[in-house]
Amino acid sequence: MSLDEYIVAAKGFISTSAADVVIADERRFAGADGVEVHVITWTGSVGGGQPLAFVQAMTVTATRAYVATFTSQPARMVDLATTIGPYLLTIRGT
Protein backbone atom coordinates (compact mmCIF):
# COMPACT_ATOMS: atom_id res chain seq x y z
CA MET A 1 0.00 0.00 0.00
CA SER A 2 1.36 3.41 -0.91
CA LEU A 3 1.42 6.33 1.50
CA ASP A 4 -1.34 8.00 -0.53
CA GLU A 5 -3.54 4.91 -0.24
CA TYR A 6 -2.83 4.67 3.47
CA ILE A 7 -3.77 8.32 4.02
CA VAL A 8 -7.15 7.77 2.32
CA ALA A 9 -7.82 4.84 4.67
CA ALA A 10 -6.57 6.76 7.73
CA LYS A 11 -8.80 9.74 6.95
CA GLY A 12 -11.74 7.36 6.63
CA PHE A 13 -10.98 5.99 10.09
CA ILE A 14 -10.47 9.49 11.54
CA SER A 15 -13.82 10.63 10.16
CA THR A 16 -15.59 7.86 12.11
CA SER A 17 -13.70 8.53 15.37
CA ALA A 18 -16.10 11.27 16.48
CA ALA A 19 -19.25 12.93 15.19
CA ASP A 20 -17.58 16.34 15.14
CA VAL A 21 -14.23 15.56 13.45
CA VAL A 22 -12.57 18.55 11.80
CA ILE A 23 -9.36 18.00 9.85
CA ALA A 24 -7.55 21.27 10.41
CA ASP A 25 -4.38 20.67 8.41
CA GLU A 26 -2.54 18.12 6.29
CA ARG A 27 1.03 18.30 5.12
CA ARG A 28 3.58 15.99 3.54
CA PHE A 29 7.23 16.21 4.50
CA ALA A 30 10.23 14.47 2.99
CA GLY A 31 13.26 13.90 5.16
CA ALA A 32 16.85 14.21 3.96
CA ASP A 33 16.80 10.40 3.75
CA GLY A 34 13.87 10.54 1.29
CA VAL A 35 11.29 9.12 3.72
CA GLU A 36 7.92 10.81 3.29
CA VAL A 37 5.85 11.55 6.38
CA HIS A 38 2.25 12.71 6.11
CA VAL A 39 0.93 14.75 9.05
CA ILE A 40 -2.76 15.23 9.79
CA THR A 41 -3.97 17.62 12.48
CA TRP A 42 -7.56 17.13 13.57
CA THR A 43 -10.01 17.72 16.40
CA GLY A 44 -12.99 15.80 17.69
CA SER A 45 -14.89 14.85 20.82
CA VAL A 46 -14.06 11.25 21.65
CA GLY A 47 -14.87 8.93 24.50
CA GLY A 48 -17.02 10.77 27.03
CA GLY A 49 -17.45 13.78 24.78
CA GLN A 50 -14.17 15.43 25.78
CA PRO A 51 -12.96 17.66 22.91
CA LEU A 52 -9.40 16.76 21.95
CA ALA A 53 -6.86 17.77 19.32
CA PHE A 54 -4.63 15.27 17.52
CA VAL A 55 -1.50 15.41 15.42
CA GLN A 56 -0.78 12.16 13.59
CA ALA A 57 2.38 11.49 11.60
CA MET A 58 2.25 8.54 9.21
CA THR A 59 4.67 6.73 6.95
CA VAL A 60 4.70 3.35 5.23
CA THR A 61 7.22 0.74 4.17
CA ALA A 62 6.67 -2.13 1.75
CA THR A 63 5.04 -4.21 4.51
CA ARG A 64 3.94 -1.92 7.36
CA ALA A 65 2.39 1.41 8.24
CA TYR A 66 3.74 3.48 11.14
CA VAL A 67 1.69 6.09 12.96
CA ALA A 68 2.75 8.39 15.79
CA THR A 69 -0.07 10.27 17.51
CA PHE A 70 0.07 13.24 19.86
CA THR A 71 -3.12 14.18 21.71
CA SER A 72 -3.84 17.35 23.67
CA GLN A 73 -6.56 19.69 24.78
CA PRO A 74 -7.40 21.90 21.78
CA ALA A 75 -6.43 25.15 23.53
CA ARG A 76 -2.95 23.81 24.29
CA MET A 77 -2.22 22.24 20.89
CA VAL A 78 -0.79 25.34 19.20
CA ASP A 79 1.90 25.77 21.84
CA LEU A 80 2.62 22.06 22.20
CA ALA A 81 2.69 21.36 18.46
CA THR A 82 5.77 23.54 18.00
CA THR A 83 7.60 21.25 20.41
CA ILE A 84 6.16 17.88 19.38
CA GLY A 85 5.95 18.50 15.61
CA PRO A 86 9.66 18.11 14.82
CA TYR A 87 9.77 14.93 16.91
CA LEU A 88 6.81 13.39 15.05
CA LEU A 89 8.58 14.00 11.73
CA THR A 90 11.34 11.58 12.78
CA ILE A 91 8.98 8.57 12.44
CA ARG A 92 10.61 5.84 10.36
CA GLY A 93 9.81 2.23 9.61
CA THR A 94 12.15 -0.60 10.49
Side-chain angles (χ1 to χ4, degrees):
M1 178 179 279
S2 72
L3 182 55
D4 289 333
E5 292 168 323
Y6 187 82
I7 296 308
V8 169
K11 287 171 63 175
F13 178 76
I14 289 169
S15 69
T16 64
S17 297
D20 59 345
V21 168
V22 175
I23 294 179
D25 190 40
E26 283 188 75
R27 295 179 192 211
R28 176 91 39 113
F29 299 89
D33 57 1
V35 173
E36 289 188 320
V37 177
H38 195 91
V39 178
I40 300 176
T41 304
W42 61 280
T43 60
S45 299
V46 297
Q50 174 72 30
L52 294 171
F54 303 86
V55 177
Q56 292 185 293
M58 305 168 206
T59 192
V60 297
T61 66
T63 59
R64 289 185 169 54
Y66 297 87
V67 179
T69 304
F70 177 73
T71 308
S72 174
Q73 297 169 329
R76 297 192 64 213
M77 183 57 84
V78 173
D79 292 332
L80 295 172
T82 59
T83 301
I84 198 67
Y87 173 74
L88 290 175
L89 293 179
T90 67
I91 189 171
R92 296 292 185 270
T94 56

